Amino acid sequence: MTVSGVLLVTAVVWAVSVIRSVRLRALVYSLPLPMTLALVSTDHRVDGAQLLGVLGLNLFFVTVAVTHHRLRWPILLADGAGIAVYVALSAGLLAVRVPFEAALAGTLALWLAAMLLLRRRVAHPRADIAADTDADAGAEARSDGLPVLLKLVVIFVGAILTTLLGAVLRGMVVTFPYSGVLVAVEARRQLPEFSWHFARNSLGLVGFLTAYHYVQDISPTVALVAGWAAFAVVAVALHLPSRARGAAHARPASPPPRSLRPAAEPPAPTGLP
């Protein structure tokens, strides 16, 4: 990836680092900005392997979350485990040709199954996980004291290192978690919740790659426009229902009609004539 790609990765991670809402963090990270730069700066075509790379992104965050929160590995070591899982998956996908339609059907089926499973787990959180999250949030508030410029330099150096590793992945460079490696560090206290929100938003990346695949023979520019349009449509479809439910819960209940209201009680007698 070019210097402009490194700068963009740095900007994405920086934006994620200053956002407090986990939901908004996941949405910003799911924007296909690194994918766009990878496609613009290389001659790689989008095929079934790249579509399955979206699953690799989710596996990366799940691996980091499990090793860091469950196994208590240091976050950098957990990041390394996530990269190893993604590289291993990429090696397997690059060894065989995956038809795009088969990859699309499998990805959608796995996404739907993951949503059903994760929704059930989110609806019934374990008490010990909630306690750990509260403790981690307090620890983060006490320990996150890096100066602004120093944090920006660390993010920039990390982006360069991950770019060097992504350069050897050939076609899978399109979905390599350039900024994900650093985002996992920034969101380490809320990784389980972040992974859930990103898994949900990753359907937009599937839409982006699908639209790009079917239009890429016309023109790369037209394919990028179609990809971003598909991402926007999927993102709106994913988030509008939740906003509508939130508005419905916040709306005060309307008063009952006058015919259903209880009759007013007569005033109590005062004892005066």
Side-chain angles (χ1 to χ4, degrees), residues 154-191:
V154 171
I155 293 173
F156 181 75
V157 173
I160 295 176
L161 295 177
T162 53
T163 300
L164 295 177
L165 177 60
V168 303
L169 293 175
R170 293 183 289 165
M172 297 305 293
V173 72
V174 174
T175 52
F176 180 74
Y178 290 104
S179 55
V181 176
L182 304 171
V183 167
V185 176
E186 287 293 329
R188 59 191 179 277
R189 308 296 182 184
Q190 301 91 17
L191 266 178

mmCIF file of all heavy atoms in Angstrom, residues 154-191:
data_model
loop_
_atom_site.group_PDB
_atom_site.id
_atom_site.type_symbol
_atom_site.label_atom_id
_atom_site.label_comp_id
_atom_site.label_asym_id
_atom_site.label_seq_id
_atom_site.Cartn_x
_atom_site.Cartn_y
_atom_site.Cartn_z
ATOM 1 N N VAL A 154 2.448 6.371 17.422
ATOM 2 C CA VAL A 154 2.361 4.916 17.591
ATOM 3 C C VAL A 154 1.426 4.319 16.553
ATOM 4 O O VAL A 154 1.735 3.278 15.946
ATOM 5 C CB VAL A 154 1.883 4.584 19.021
ATOM 6 C CG1 VAL A 154 1.579 3.095 19.143
ATOM 7 C CG2 VAL A 154 2.944 4.990 20.043
ATOM 8 N N ILE A 155 0.290 4.950 16.314
ATOM 9 C CA ILE A 155 -0.642 4.461 15.311
ATOM 10 C C ILE A 155 -0.002 4.487 13.927
ATOM 11 O O ILE A 155 -0.134 3.541 13.140
ATOM 12 C CB ILE A 155 -1.933 5.294 15.329
ATOM 13 C CG1 ILE A 155 -2.698 5.064 16.638
ATOM 14 C CG2 ILE A 155 -2.830 4.956 14.137
ATOM 15 C CD1 ILE A 155 -3.892 5.959 16.804
ATOM 16 N N PHE A 156 0.732 5.547 13.603
ATOM 17 C CA PHE A 156 1.361 5.673 12.290
ATOM 18 C C PHE A 156 2.412 4.589 12.076
ATOM 19 O O PHE A 156 2.462 3.948 11.019
ATOM 20 C CB PHE A 156 1.989 7.059 12.156
ATOM 21 C CG PHE A 156 2.647 7.298 10.823
ATOM 22 C CD1 PHE A 156 1.878 7.542 9.696
ATOM 23 C CD2 PHE A 156 4.018 7.273 10.697
ATOM 24 C CE1 PHE A 156 2.474 7.760 8.467
ATOM 25 C CE2 PHE A 156 4.625 7.496 9.476
ATOM 26 C CZ PHE A 156 3.856 7.739 8.356
ATOM 27 N N VAL A 157 3.257 4.347 13.072
ATOM 28 C CA VAL A 157 4.282 3.300 12.959
ATOM 29 C C VAL A 157 3.637 1.923 12.825
ATOM 30 O O VAL A 157 4.064 1.080 12.018
ATOM 31 C CB VAL A 157 5.231 3.349 14.173
ATOM 32 C CG1 VAL A 157 6.199 2.157 14.155
ATOM 33 C CG2 VAL A 157 6.021 4.655 14.170
ATOM 34 N N GLY A 158 2.606 1.670 13.596
ATOM 35 C CA GLY A 158 1.911 0.391 13.500
ATOM 36 C C GLY A 158 1.276 0.187 12.136
ATOM 37 O O GLY A 158 1.257 -0.934 11.610
ATOM 38 N N ALA A 159 0.755 1.257 11.539
ATOM 39 C CA ALA A 159 0.162 1.147 10.212
ATOM 40 C C ALA A 159 1.216 0.759 9.177
ATOM 41 O O ALA A 159 0.963 -0.047 8.280
ATOM 42 C CB ALA A 159 -0.501 2.473 9.827
ATOM 43 N N ILE A 160 2.416 1.310 9.298
ATOM 44 C CA ILE A 160 3.494 0.963 8.363
ATOM 45 C C ILE A 160 3.868 -0.514 8.500
ATOM 46 O O ILE A 160 4.030 -1.239 7.504
ATOM 47 C CB ILE A 160 4.719 1.858 8.604
ATOM 48 C CG1 ILE A 160 4.377 3.311 8.274
ATOM 49 C CG2 ILE A 160 5.896 1.390 7.759
ATOM 50 C CD1 ILE A 160 5.501 4.285 8.561
ATOM 51 N N LEU A 161 3.988 -1.002 9.727
ATOM 52 C CA LEU A 161 4.369 -2.400 9.943
ATOM 53 C C LEU A 161 3.321 -3.360 9.403
ATOM 54 O O LEU A 161 3.643 -4.359 8.755
ATOM 55 C CB LEU A 161 4.601 -2.640 11.440
ATOM 56 C CG LEU A 161 5.777 -1.883 12.065
ATOM 57 C CD1 LEU A 161 5.859 -2.159 13.563
ATOM 58 C CD2 LEU A 161 7.098 -2.255 11.389
ATOM 59 N N THR A 162 2.059 -3.080 9.658
ATOM 60 C CA THR A 162 1.021 -3.963 9.149
ATOM 61 C C THR A 162 0.913 -3.890 7.627
ATOM 62 O O THR A 162 0.545 -4.871 6.969
ATOM 63 C CB THR A 162 -0.334 -3.618 9.768
ATOM 64 O OG1 THR A 162 -0.602 -2.226 9.581
ATOM 65 C CG2 THR A 162 -0.345 -3.929 11.256
ATOM 66 N N THR A 163 1.241 -2.752 7.037
ATOM 67 C CA THR A 163 1.248 -2.642 5.588
ATOM 68 C C THR A 163 2.321 -3.532 4.976
ATOM 69 O O THR A 163 2.101 -4.179 3.944
ATOM 70 C CB THR A 163 1.477 -1.181 5.170
ATOM 71 O OG1 THR A 163 0.424 -0.375 5.693
ATOM 72 C CG2 THR A 163 1.501 -1.045 3.660
ATOM 73 N N LEU A 164 3.496 -3.599 5.616
ATOM 74 C CA LEU A 164 4.565 -4.460 5.116
ATOM 75 C C LEU A 164 4.129 -5.923 5.124
ATOM 76 O O LEU A 164 4.446 -6.678 4.197
ATOM 77 C CB LEU A 164 5.823 -4.267 5.956
ATOM 78 C CG LEU A 164 6.472 -2.881 5.887
ATOM 79 C CD1 LEU A 164 7.667 -2.801 6.827
ATOM 80 C CD2 LEU A 164 6.892 -2.562 4.457
ATOM 81 N N LEU A 165 3.404 -6.340 6.136
ATOM 82 C CA LEU A 165 2.929 -7.721 6.178
ATOM 83 C C LEU A 165 1.842 -7.952 5.141
ATOM 84 O O LEU A 165 1.817 -8.999 4.468
ATOM 85 C CB LEU A 165 2.376 -8.047 7.566
ATOM 86 C CG LEU A 165 1.783 -9.447 7.739
ATOM 87 C CD1 LEU A 165 2.823 -10.517 7.466
ATOM 88 C CD2 LEU A 165 1.201 -9.624 9.132
ATOM 89 N N GLY A 166 0.955 -6.994 4.962
ATOM 90 C CA GLY A 166 -0.116 -7.166 3.998
ATOM 91 C C GLY A 166 0.368 -7.235 2.566
ATOM 92 O O GLY A 166 -0.322 -7.789 1.704
ATOM 93 N N ALA A 167 1.574 -6.722 2.281
ATOM 94 C CA ALA A 167 2.076 -6.713 0.910
ATOM 95 C C ALA A 167 2.382 -8.105 0.380
ATOM 96 O O ALA A 167 2.513 -8.284 -0.826
ATOM 97 C CB ALA A 167 3.327 -5.836 0.836
ATOM 98 N N VAL A 168 2.501 -9.107 1.241
ATOM 99 C CA VAL A 168 2.846 -10.453 0.791
ATOM 100 C C VAL A 168 1.612 -11.334 0.627
ATOM 101 O O VAL A 168 1.741 -12.522 0.341
ATOM 102 C CB VAL A 168 3.820 -11.127 1.790
ATOM 103 C CG1 VAL A 168 5.068 -10.289 1.958
ATOM 104 C CG2 VAL A 168 3.146 -11.369 3.139
ATOM 105 N N LEU A 169 0.430 -10.784 0.778
ATOM 106 C CA LEU A 169 -0.790 -11.592 0.753
ATOM 107 C C LEU A 169 -1.468 -11.628 -0.608
ATOM 108 O O LEU A 169 -2.566 -12.166 -0.724
ATOM 109 C CB LEU A 169 -1.786 -11.058 1.802
ATOM 110 C CG LEU A 169 -1.363 -11.232 3.249
ATOM 111 C CD1 LEU A 169 -2.360 -10.564 4.173
ATOM 112 C CD2 LEU A 169 -1.233 -12.704 3.595
ATOM 113 N N ARG A 170 -0.869 -11.028 -1.610
ATOM 114 C CA ARG A 170 -1.421 -11.020 -2.964
ATOM 115 C C ARG A 170 -2.882 -10.549 -2.963
ATOM 116 O O ARG A 170 -3.188 -9.499 -2.427
ATOM 117 C CB ARG A 170 -1.271 -12.399 -3.609
ATOM 118 C CG ARG A 170 0.191 -12.784 -3.866
ATOM 119 C CD ARG A 170 0.257 -14.118 -4.575
ATOM 120 N NE ARG A 170 -0.112 -15.219 -3.686
ATOM 121 C CZ ARG A 170 -0.417 -16.439 -4.122
ATOM 122 N NH1 ARG A 170 -0.432 -16.703 -5.416
ATOM 123 N NH2 ARG A 170 -0.720 -17.386 -3.259
ATOM 124 N N GLY A 171 -3.793 -11.330 -3.535
ATOM 125 C CA GLY A 171 -5.176 -10.877 -3.653
ATOM 126 C C GLY A 171 -5.872 -10.658 -2.330
ATOM 127 O O GLY A 171 -6.796 -9.859 -2.236
ATOM 128 N N MET A 172 -5.437 -11.363 -1.291
ATOM 129 C CA MET A 172 -6.073 -11.200 0.018
ATOM 130 C C MET A 172 -5.674 -9.900 0.703
ATOM 131 O O MET A 172 -6.141 -9.605 1.803
ATOM 132 C CB MET A 172 -5.734 -12.386 0.916
ATOM 133 C CG MET A 172 -6.257 -13.713 0.386
ATOM 134 S SD MET A 172 -8.033 -13.705 0.072
ATOM 135 C CE MET A 172 -8.646 -13.548 1.739
ATOM 136 N N VAL A 173 -4.821 -9.123 0.053
ATOM 137 C CA VAL A 173 -4.463 -7.822 0.594
ATOM 138 C C VAL A 173 -5.678 -6.907 0.650
ATOM 139 O O VAL A 173 -5.713 -5.946 1.417
ATOM 140 C CB VAL A 173 -3.332 -7.195 -0.250
ATOM 141 C CG1 VAL A 173 -3.853 -6.737 -1.594
ATOM 142 C CG2 VAL A 173 -2.672 -6.035 0.476
ATOM 143 N N VAL A 174 -6.694 -7.218 -0.174
ATOM 144 C CA VAL A 174 -7.882 -6.361 -0.236
ATOM 145 C C VAL A 174 -8.600 -6.327 1.106
ATOM 146 O O VAL A 174 -9.085 -5.270 1.543
ATOM 147 C CB VAL A 174 -8.819 -6.859 -1.355
ATOM 148 C CG1 VAL A 174 -10.128 -6.074 -1.342
ATOM 149 C CG2 VAL A 174 -8.129 -6.732 -2.708
ATOM 150 N N THR A 175 -8.692 -7.473 1.770
ATOM 151 C CA THR A 175 -9.432 -7.524 3.039
ATOM 152 C C THR A 175 -8.513 -7.673 4.252
ATOM 153 O O THR A 175 -9.006 -7.933 5.353
ATOM 154 C CB THR A 175 -10.420 -8.706 3.016
ATOM 155 O OG1 THR A 175 -9.717 -9.904 2.655
ATOM 156 C CG2 THR A 175 -11.526 -8.467 2.010
ATOM 157 N N PHE A 176 -7.213 -7.515 4.078
ATOM 158 C CA PHE A 176 -6.313 -7.628 5.234
ATOM 159 C C PHE A 176 -6.653 -6.551 6.265
ATOM 160 O O PHE A 176 -6.888 -5.397 5.907
ATOM 161 C CB PHE A 176 -4.860 -7.475 4.784
ATOM 162 C CG PHE A 176 -3.878 -7.571 5.918
ATOM 163 C CD1 PHE A 176 -3.587 -8.791 6.496
ATOM 164 C CD2 PHE A 176 -3.258 -6.439 6.420
ATOM 165 C CE1 PHE A 176 -2.695 -8.892 7.543
ATOM 166 C CE2 PHE A 176 -2.360 -6.524 7.466
ATOM 167 C CZ PHE A 176 -2.072 -7.754 8.033
ATOM 168 N N PRO A 177 -6.686 -6.897 7.559
ATOM 169 C CA PRO A 177 -7.079 -5.909 8.588
ATOM 170 C C PRO A 177 -5.963 -4.919 8.908
ATOM 171 O O PRO A 177 -5.393 -4.927 9.992
ATOM 172 C CB PRO A 177 -7.416 -6.787 9.798
ATOM 173 C CG PRO A 177 -6.566 -8.001 9.625
ATOM 174 C CD PRO A 177 -6.490 -8.248 8.146
ATOM 175 N N TYR A 178 -5.644 -4.060 7.933
ATOM 176 C CA TYR A 178 -4.604 -3.052 8.164
ATOM 177 C C TYR A 178 -4.880 -2.265 9.442
ATOM 178 O O TYR A 178 -4.102 -2.267 10.386
ATOM 179 C CB TYR A 178 -4.550 -2.080 6.978
ATOM 180 C CG TYR A 178 -4.019 -2.672 5.705
ATOM 181 C CD1 TYR A 178 -4.871 -3.012 4.671
ATOM 182 C CD2 TYR A 178 -2.654 -2.888 5.529
ATOM 183 C CE1 TYR A 178 -4.390 -3.552 3.497
ATOM 184 C CE2 TYR A 178 -2.165 -3.423 4.362
ATOM 185 C CZ TYR A 178 -3.034 -3.751 3.343
ATOM 186 O OH TYR A 178 -2.558 -4.289 2.183
ATOM 187 N N SER A 179 -5.997 -1.556 9.428
ATOM 188 C CA SER A 179 -6.321 -0.764 10.608
ATOM 189 C C SER A 179 -6.894 -1.617 11.722
ATOM 190 O O SER A 179 -6.893 -1.205 12.878
ATOM 191 C CB SER A 179 -7.328 0.337 10.233
ATOM 192 O OG SER A 179 -8.477 -0.224 9.625
ATOM 193 N N GLY A 180 -7.369 -2.832 11.390
ATOM 194 C CA GLY A 180 -7.946 -3.687 12.421
ATOM 195 C C GLY A 180 -6.953 -4.070 13.500
ATOM 196 O O GLY A 180 -7.318 -4.208 14.672
ATOM 197 N N VAL A 181 -5.696 -4.249 13.125
ATOM 198 C CA VAL A 181 -4.669 -4.596 14.106
ATOM 199 C C VAL A 181 -4.561 -3.509 15.167
ATOM 200 O O VAL A 181 -4.425 -3.788 16.364
ATOM 201 C CB VAL A 181 -3.320 -4.812 13.396
ATOM 202 C CG1 VAL A 181 -2.202 -5.068 14.400
ATOM 203 C CG2 VAL A 181 -3.424 -5.980 12.413
ATOM 204 N N LEU A 182 -4.643 -2.263 14.736
ATOM 205 C CA LEU A 182 -4.511 -1.151 15.662
ATOM 206 C C LEU A 182 -5.841 -0.814 16.335
ATOM 207 O O LEU A 182 -5.866 -0.399 17.488
ATOM 208 C CB LEU A 182 -3.973 0.068 14.915
ATOM 209 C CG LEU A 182 -2.650 -0.187 14.183
ATOM 210 C CD1 LEU A 182 -2.297 0.989 13.301
ATOM 211 C CD2 LEU A 182 -1.532 -0.457 15.166
ATOM 212 N N VAL A 183 -6.937 -1.006 15.601
ATOM 213 C CA VAL A 183 -8.249 -0.775 16.195
ATOM 214 C C VAL A 183 -8.484 -1.733 17.355
ATOM 215 O O VAL A 183 -9.071 -1.371 18.378
ATOM 216 C CB VAL A 183 -9.352 -0.920 15.128
ATOM 217 C CG1 VAL A 183 -10.728 -1.000 15.770
ATOM 218 C CG2 VAL A 183 -9.303 0.260 14.166
ATOM 219 N N ALA A 184 -8.009 -2.976 17.214
ATOM 220 C CA ALA A 184 -8.156 -3.945 18.304
ATOM 221 C C ALA A 184 -7.441 -3.472 19.559
ATOM 222 O O ALA A 184 -7.895 -3.720 20.681
ATOM 223 C CB ALA A 184 -7.626 -5.307 17.872
ATOM 224 N N VAL A 185 -6.321 -2.797 19.390
ATOM 225 C CA VAL A 185 -5.600 -2.256 20.551
ATOM 226 C C VAL A 185 -6.399 -1.117 21.182
ATOM 227 O O VAL A 185 -6.545 -1.040 22.406
ATOM 228 C CB VAL A 185 -4.197 -1.772 20.135
ATOM 229 C CG1 VAL A 185 -3.475 -1.125 21.316
ATOM 230 C CG2 VAL A 185 -3.375 -2.942 19.602
ATOM 231 N N GLU A 186 -6.945 -0.234 20.341
ATOM 232 C CA GLU A 186 -7.689 0.904 20.854
ATOM 233 C C GLU A 186 -8.987 0.477 21.536
ATOM 234 O O GLU A 186 -9.395 1.078 22.530
ATOM 235 C CB GLU A 186 -7.995 1.883 19.717
ATOM 236 C CG GLU A 186 -6.793 2.678 19.238
ATOM 237 C CD GLU A 186 -6.283 3.646 20.290
ATOM 238 O OE1 GLU A 186 -7.108 4.140 21.083
ATOM 239 O OE2 GLU A 186 -5.072 3.898 20.332
ATOM 240 N N ALA A 187 -9.631 -0.563 20.992
ATOM 241 C CA ALA A 187 -10.922 -1.010 21.531
ATOM 242 C C ALA A 187 -10.782 -2.260 22.386
ATOM 243 O O ALA A 187 -11.746 -3.008 22.546
ATOM 244 C CB ALA A 187 -11.893 -1.274 20.377
ATOM 245 N N ARG A 188 -9.619 -2.470 22.972
ATOM 246 C CA ARG A 188 -9.347 -3.737 23.664
ATOM 247 C C ARG A 188 -10.274 -3.964 24.856
ATOM 248 O O ARG A 188 -10.567 -5.098 25.210
ATOM 249 C CB ARG A 188 -7.891 -3.787 24.122
ATOM 250 C CG ARG A 188 -7.475 -2.669 25.059
ATOM 251 C CD ARG A 188 -5.959 -2.643 25.232
ATOM 252 N NE ARG A 188 -5.512 -1.580 26.106
ATOM 253 C CZ ARG A 188 -5.319 -0.326 25.698
ATOM 254 N NH1 ARG A 188 -5.580 0.008 24.440
ATOM 255 N NH2 ARG A 188 -4.901 0.599 26.532
ATOM 256 N N ARG A 189 -10.763 -2.898 25.500
ATOM 257 C CA ARG A 189 -11.621 -3.060 26.675
ATOM 258 C C ARG A 189 -13.023 -3.522 26.294
ATOM 259 O O ARG A 189 -13.714 -4.131 27.110
ATOM 260 C CB ARG A 189 -11.718 -1.746 27.455
ATOM 261 C CG ARG A 189 -10.389 -1.104 27.805
ATOM 262 C CD ARG A 189 -9.573 -1.951 28.740
ATOM 263 N NE ARG A 189 -8.318 -1.300 29.090
ATOM 264 C CZ ARG A 189 -7.368 -1.844 29.839
ATOM 265 N NH1 ARG A 189 -7.536 -3.065 30.305
ATOM 266 N NH2 ARG A 189 -6.260 -1.192 30.101
ATOM 267 N N GLN A 190 -13.444 -3.216 25.064
ATOM 268 C CA GLN A 190 -14.798 -3.574 24.624
ATOM 269 C C GLN A 190 -14.769 -4.498 23.413
ATOM 270 O O GLN A 190 -15.663 -4.471 22.576
ATOM 271 C CB GLN A 190 -15.591 -2.307 24.277
ATOM 272 C CG GLN A 190 -15.744 -1.325 25.404
ATOM 273 C CD GLN A 190 -14.632 -0.292 25.442
ATOM 274 O OE1 GLN A 190 -13.917 -0.119 24.471
ATOM 275 N NE2 GLN A 190 -14.482 0.369 26.565
ATOM 276 N N LEU A 191 -13.744 -5.346 23.292
ATOM 277 C CA LEU A 191 -13.600 -6.181 22.105
ATOM 278 C C LEU A 191 -14.783 -7.117 21.865
ATOM 279 O O LEU A 191 -15.214 -7.265 20.712
ATOM 280 C CB LEU A 191 -12.294 -6.984 22.186
ATOM 281 C CG LEU A 191 -11.083 -6.340 21.505
ATOM 282 C CD1 LEU A 191 -9.846 -7.200 21.697
ATOM 283 C CD2 LEU A 191 -11.349 -6.109 20.031
#
